[in-house]
Amino acid sequence: MNGYICEKCHDMGFVLVDKDGAEVAVRCECQAKRLSMLRLKRSGISEELQKKGFNDFDCRGMEVLKTAKNKAKGYYQNFLLSEGDRHNSIILCGQPGAGKTHLGMAICNNLLNVCGVEIAYMAYRNAMTAIKQTVTDKDGYYKAIGTYCNARLLYIDDLLKGRQTEADLNILYELVNYRYMHKKPMVISTEKTPEELVGVDEAIGSRIMEMCRRYTVVLQGKELNYRLYS
Ligand SMILES: [Zn+2]
């Protein structure tokens, strides 16, 4: 043990590689993880959720939950192969207490910790409030929305929670359309059903559902609420 967190770059954040006979500095792969951890800390997603994995997801003997877990796990396992595809995203729909945030975070935690995938975490309501506060300041606005547009993977927790104003929907459209056009994957949890999502805004909903065509999970039925039935 020499006390370095990263053995590769000895916590310098860059490594020297040979390029055409000259040594050049490139960003070390540990930096994607460091940045994601920082974003996670700032996102408002609880520490408890930051530790969730697939193994501690309790299916409570229910087929619908087993199927959901397998789908989420399958998404994680295929992520690197299908990252650049049109259908590279997953949506976990359903009522509160069904475990959709747990599964969404299990995907992100594994992709971050095992694969070093850079992730931006968007706690929807809080993030929208923060972005809206910047709309009169162009630079501030693009900085605020830019992280969510450009991150390699975007996790949106509780998409469309609360009442949506026209400003909310304009911002969300800009974000979703950007990621759709650039084929950048998203992991989404929401209390809306796919039909409701498209009903709130067709341009936004149809793009999301196309990206999530291969991985759409719907958890409905009050017996699924572990907060009531465990
Ligand atoms: Zn490093």
Side-chain angles (χ1 to χ4, degrees):
M1 274 307 283
N2 53 22
Y4 293 119
I5 297 166
C6 179
E7 287 296 331
K8 267 194 150 163
C9 68
H10 288 188
D11 302 342
M12 298 289 283
F14 63 88
V15 286
L16 296 170
V17 296
D18 184 76
K19 198 187 169 202
D20 306 325
E23 274 199 323
V24 292
V26 296
R27 212 163 80 127
C28 180
E29 56 197 44
C30 69
Q31 293 302 293
K33 193 167 170 180
R34 214 184 117 253
L35 186 62
S36 301
M37 298 295 280
L38 258 169
R39 286 174 180 162
L40 182 53
K41 234 181 229 165
R42 292 194 206 117
S43 68
I45 287 166
S46 74
E47 269 182 48
E48 191 195 337
L49 281 170
Q50 295 174 25
K51 298 190 189 91
K52 296 289 188 199
F54 293 112
N55 290 338
D56 59 356
F57 183 77
D58 183 3
C59 295
R60 294 171 276 155
M62 288 188 242
E63 274 316 309
V64 57
L65 291 180
K66 281 184 207 164
T67 307
K69 179 178 166 175
N70 287 337
K71 215 149 199 188
K73 215 170 166 178
Y75 176 79
Y76 156 61
Q77 287 163 339
N78 287 313
F79 180 84
L80 295 176
L81 277 176
S82 57
E83 186 178 358
D85 293 358
R86 167 57 67 219
H87 315 296
N88 59 3
S89 302
I90 183 168
I91 188 162
L92 302 144
C93 306
Q95 57 178 78
K100 53 194 192 304
T101 300
H102 182 146
L103 287 177
M105 282 304 291
I107 292 168
C108 292
N109 292 336
N110 276 285
L111 284 173
L112 173 65
N113 293 315
V114 182
C115 310
V117 171
E118 179 216 345
I119 303 172
Y121 299 87
M122 184 176 186
Y124 180 76
R125 203 63 262 164
N126 294 346
M128 286 310 248
T129 305
I131 295 169
K132 274 189 287 186
Q133 282 163 355
T134 67
V135 288
T136 53
D137 155 29
K138 215 173 164 192
D139 288 346
Y141 174 74
Y142 283 108
K143 205 174 158 196
I145 197 174
T147 300
Y148 302 125
C149 286
N150 292 311
R152 183 170 167 192
L153 175 66
L154 174 65
Y155 173 61
I156 307 180
D157 190 44
D158 252 332
L159 175 76
L160 292 177
K161 191 183 177 69
R163 255 188 41 202
Q164 309 303 312
T165 64
E166 209 182 314
D168 289 314
L169 294 177
N170 288 340
I171 292 166
L172 184 60
Y173 175 77
E174 190 162 6
L175 172 60
V176 167
N177 189 50
Y178 184 91
R179 296 199 68 95
Y180 175 84
M181 298 298 288
H182 294 83
K183 294 188 179 160
K184 284 175 161 286
M186 296 186 278
V187 173
I188 297 171
S189 87
T190 180
E191 286 177 17
K192 302 267 185 255
T193 63
E195 295 75 24
E196 285 168 342
L197 202 64
V198 176
V200 171
D201 189 291
E202 201 183 336
I204 296 169
S206 61
R207 279 167 177 74
I208 289 175
M209 292 320 298
E210 190 182 344
M211 292 176 84
C212 300
R213 184 176 297 165
R214 272 194 289 189
Y215 296 97
T216 299
V217 175
V218 182
L219 298 169
Q220 265 179 318
K222 65 171 189 250
E223 73 282 2
L224 289 174
N225 190 334
Y226 67 83
R227 294 186 188 103
L228 296 177
Y229 292 87
S230 60

